[in-house]
Amino acid sequence: MSAMLFDVFFIEMVNMLESSEDDRASTDKLEQIGFRVGQALFESKSVVGSRFKEQLDVIKFICKEIWQVVFLKQIDNLRTNHKGTFRLQDNAFRAFSMMGNSPAEQAKAKIMLAFPCGIIRGGLASVGMHDVEIKGEVESMPTCKFDLEIRTST
């Protein structure tokens, strides 16, 4: 799929959900769609289980491989405390490239982040990491950040 076609499809999907649902329902549906996309991509692009020795390996795979497939670029910055907390930053998120900083566009951007949050959650779930908190945020367009906290059983 071409980049332009994906961009138009993604924006129209958000517009359709936004016009027929409240913000919470739109966000939930976008995250569910992203979750399934993340699972499918992870399963098709990796040898599940055998390739990843640590959480960081999985996160790096998302940042480099999965992000490249979906958004045609890698994540720009990855930080971790090596205790299950990660911050992923995309300095030029494609979907935000034609948006401004008005309050309405900021609100729409927050809804749009549910899709990549779902992709991350789906990828992690496909390797058995189910207890994850993911928060997407927009500080200024087109930059977005994703904070992940992966909880492990003790």
Side-chain angles (χ1 to χ4, degrees):
M1 183 180 326
S2 77
M4 185 177 189
L5 179 60
F6 175 78
D7 292 345
V8 171
F9 172 76
F10 180 54
I11 290 167
E12 286 306 312
M13 179 175 59
V14 171
N15 288 339
M16 185 185 77
L17 287 171
E18 198 175 31
S19 67
S20 65
E21 308 277 348
D22 64 34
D23 286 355
R24 184 75 227 153
S26 297
T27 301
D28 289 347
K29 284 188 181 174
L30 278 172
E31 184 161 357
Q32 289 170 4
I33 293 167
F35 183 90
R36 185 59 199 118
V37 168
Q39 278 184 318
L41 285 173
F42 226 86
E43 291 166 4
S44 70
K45 299 297 267 178
S46 70
V47 179
V48 176
S50 63
R51 181 175 181 159
F52 309 110
K53 293 179 174 48
E54 297 181 16
Q55 289 177 344
L56 185 57
D57 296 328
V58 177
I59 301 299
K60 284 180 179 178
F61 184 77
I62 290 170
C63 293
K64 293 179 180 181
E65 304 294 328
I66 301 300
W67 220 256
Q68 178 71 40
V69 169
V70 179
F71 301 111
L72 304 178
K73 66 182 291 295
Q74 295 181 0
I75 283 285
D76 295 304
N77 194 347
L78 166 63
R79 294 179 185 229
T80 181
N81 67 356
H82 298 283
K83 296 179 183 175
T85 302
F86 302 88
R87 172 168 270 194
L88 288 59
Q89 181 171 318
D90 189 330
N91 294 327
F93 190 62
R94 289 186 55 82
F96 297 166
S97 64
M98 294 179 280
M99 295 174 73
N101 279 315
S102 73
E105 289 175 309
Q106 287 279 330
K108 185 174 195 156
K110 288 178 183 175
I111 294 170
M112 294 171 82
L113 286 180
F115 181 71
C117 284
I119 290 173
I120 295 166
R121 187 180 309 281
L124 294 173
S126 63
V127 293
M129 295 180 193
H130 298 282
D131 193 5
V132 180
E133 183 178 337
I134 302 172
K135 293 179 184 172
E137 66 180 73
V138 180
E139 289 179 6
S140 71
M141 302 284 208
T143 299
C144 60
K145 297 176 182 178
F146 303 91
D147 292 320
L148 289 63
E149 185 178 337
I150 303 171
R151 294 180 281 280
T152 56
S153 304
T154 54

